[in-house]
Amino acid sequence: MIPEEKTSPSLRLRVRHWVRKVIPSVTLERRAEVRGNLRESAQPDFEYFVLVVLSSMIATLGLLINSGAVIIGAMLVAPLMSPIIGLGLGSLIGDETLLKNSVSAVLRGALIAIVIAIILTWVNASLPFITLHNLPEEVLARTRPTPIDLLIALAGGLAAAFALAQPSLSAALPGVAIATALMPPLGTVGIGIAMGRWDVAGGALLLFVTNSVTIAFASMLVFWVLGFSPGQKNKQGQHVPRTLALSAMVTMLMLLPLTYFSVSFFQEANRTRQINTVVTEEVVKRGAVLTDLSVGSTDEGDLQLEITVRTPKQLYYGDVDSLQEDIAVQLQEPVAIVVDQIVVAQLDPLVPPTLTPTATPATSTPP
């Protein structure tokens, strides 16, 4: 009787064997040490809340003065790494104590950061230090989340979890990446609420939720690859934990609103650029220079433009009416414009003024 040939290992086992060769699992002692460290550091104690208050103050003030350097300082102080990583590990291995403490620390820390941002924004409004005519760029940058923000949070979560699990690496720098993804959006949420800008608060809150879910999923994925799991196995290898699969699905679902906002933002930016180009060209044709352009809409939904120009000669009603008609033709839509003109005279020392003869009135001399 001819013995049966052994079947070749499945593709799944080959991939698992290759992964184990490249990224070996950590020892049982190291897993227990990581779990114990996270249980201790994810506990929301007095030191945790002190750092949350300080980091939220620094982040909010940095957002208000539009300073990236100050915001980086807030990232260095923010203590959000351990709870968010503990959330991922607790969900993966079913540690209810770690999961409960991590969720409590993240939610309470987020609420405190938002309240601090609201208070600081109200105080700033009553003091003559920082006058906010327009929202700072650092604030606006966190109101339109995109899939790129999700990738940043994913990379930060992967780096932090991997560094935390490896005894030879430091989790400090990956922790800064996580603080980058979490603390500034919380400050933006508070600023938006304090200013009554619910669109700003909503966009920043979506960014915070997206980053939190993505970072938790990334940490779960790293811990699972490194051997942190409930220990369920079968003949074909280790099962993918249900919590990891669920987290991956939620992370993928977050791409839907992010993609929608990205497309909407791209369309709006493209339309604004087109309007600016057309208005600039038409203004230049009339010998003027465009200095400011405000885009809005009328009660009927038509495009409304408030145009500020600098011109060497005064524009009259006929000039403005012609400008409005030409802009409407170029944009292929009804347009209502209001023109604010600044009449200027250009003086060049190298070009002397042209002398104009002045008529001398005739005088009669009495005899």
Side-chain angles (χ1 to χ4, degrees):
M1 183 175 181
I2 301 175
E4 296 181 358
E5 295 182 359
K6 294 183 179 179
T7 59
S8 60
S10 64
L11 178 62
R12 180 180 177 183
L13 292 179
R14 291 179 183 177
V15 172
R16 182 174 299 279
H17 179 68
W18 180 82
V19 170
R20 283 287 173 254
K21 288 181 62 177
V22 177
I23 309 176
S25 59
V26 297
T27 62
L28 291 175
E29 292 77 9
R30 180 57 185 171
R31 295 181 209 172
E33 182 181 354
V34 170
R35 182 175 176 178
N37 291 339
L38 281 177
R39 268 196 169 192
E40 181 179 355
S41 57
Q43 179 74 29
D45 51 14
F46 176 76
E47 291 80 5
Y48 172 80
F49 291 118
V50 168
L51 291 178
V52 167
V53 170
L54 295 177
S55 62
S56 62
M57 290 177 62
I58 298 172
T60 303
L61 294 175
L63 291 168
L64 290 175
I65 66 175
N66 199 35
S67 173
V70 176
I71 296 175
I72 292 175
M75 300 169 190
L76 296 172
V77 180
L80 298 174
M81 180 188 73
S82 296
I84 202 72
I85 296 297
L87 178 62
L89 180 59
S91 301
L92 179 68
I93 64 178
D95 189 332
E96 295 183 1
T97 301
L98 177 58
L99 183 60
K100 179 181 178 180
N101 290 339
S102 299
V103 171
S104 175
V106 172
L107 293 181
R108 292 159 69 182
L111 180 60
I112 291 174
I114 293 175
V115 171
I116 292 295
I118 293 174
I119 294 174
L120 288 179
T121 306
W122 283 344
V123 171
N124 172 74
S126 61
L127 297 176
F129 297 128
I130 307 172
T131 303
L132 296 179
H133 297 292
N134 298 307
L135 287 173
E137 291 296 328
E138 292 288 347
V139 173
L140 293 176
R142 290 166 176 86
T143 60
R144 299 179 182 273
T146 66
I148 295 179
D149 296 299
L150 188 146
L151 292 177
I152 294 173
L154 181 64
L158 292 173
F162 184 76
L164 189 63
Q166 301 295 331
S168 60
L169 300 178
S170 171
L173 294 180
V176 173
I178 289 184
T180 302
L182 295 177
M183 189 54 72
L186 291 175
T188 305
V189 172
I191 293 174
I193 294 175
M195 298 181 65
R197 292 290 303 271
W198 299 106
D199 56 332
V200 172
L205 182 61
L206 175 61
L207 177 60
F208 171 74
V209 172
T210 300
N211 289 340
S212 300
V213 172
T214 305
I215 291 170
F217 161 69
S219 61
M220 291 174 65
L221 180 61
V222 169
F223 286 135
W224 179 67
V225 170
L226 294 178
F228 293 80
S229 66
Q232 299 175 348
K233 294 184 178 181
N234 61 8
K235 294 181 180 180
Q236 295 181 343
Q238 187 178 10
H239 285 300
V240 175
R242 182 180 301 177
T243 52
L244 178 60
L246 180 61
S247 180
M249 183 173 60
V250 173
T251 302
M252 295 300 296
L253 288 177
M254 294 302 298
L255 283 173
L256 297 179
L258 295 181
T259 303
Y260 171 77
F261 280 111
S262 297
V263 173
S264 299
F265 175 70
F266 174 79
Q267 293 175 345
E268 180 181 348
N270 187 52
R271 183 171 181 266
T272 301
R273 183 170 55 250
Q274 180 186 11
I275 293 172
N276 188 76
T277 301
V278 170
V279 173
T280 301
E281 292 177 352
E282 295 300 329
V283 167
V284 170
K285 288 180 181 179
R286 288 156 177 82
V289 177
L290 179 67
T291 59
D292 189 36
L293 175 62
S294 177
V295 181
S297 59
T298 63
D299 295 336
E300 293 76 18
D302 296 336
L303 180 64
Q304 184 174 22
L305 305 176
E306 184 174 350
I307 305 170
T308 303
V309 299
R310 189 172 68 248
T311 174
K313 60 180 181 178
Q314 184 175 354
L315 300 178
Y316 295 96
Y317 175 82
D319 300 319
V320 176
D321 185 66
S322 173
L323 177 63
Q324 177 176 273
E325 182 179 352
D326 291 345
I327 292 176
V329 171
Q330 291 289 337
L331 296 177
Q332 297 294 311
E333 62 177 305
V335 176
I337 70 171
V338 175
V339 176
D340 301 322
Q341 58 178 324
I342 304 172
V343 181
V344 297
Q346 186 175 20
L347 302 177
D348 189 347
L350 300 179
V351 180
T354 303
L355 298 179
T356 57
T358 303
T360 304
T363 60
S364 60
T365 303

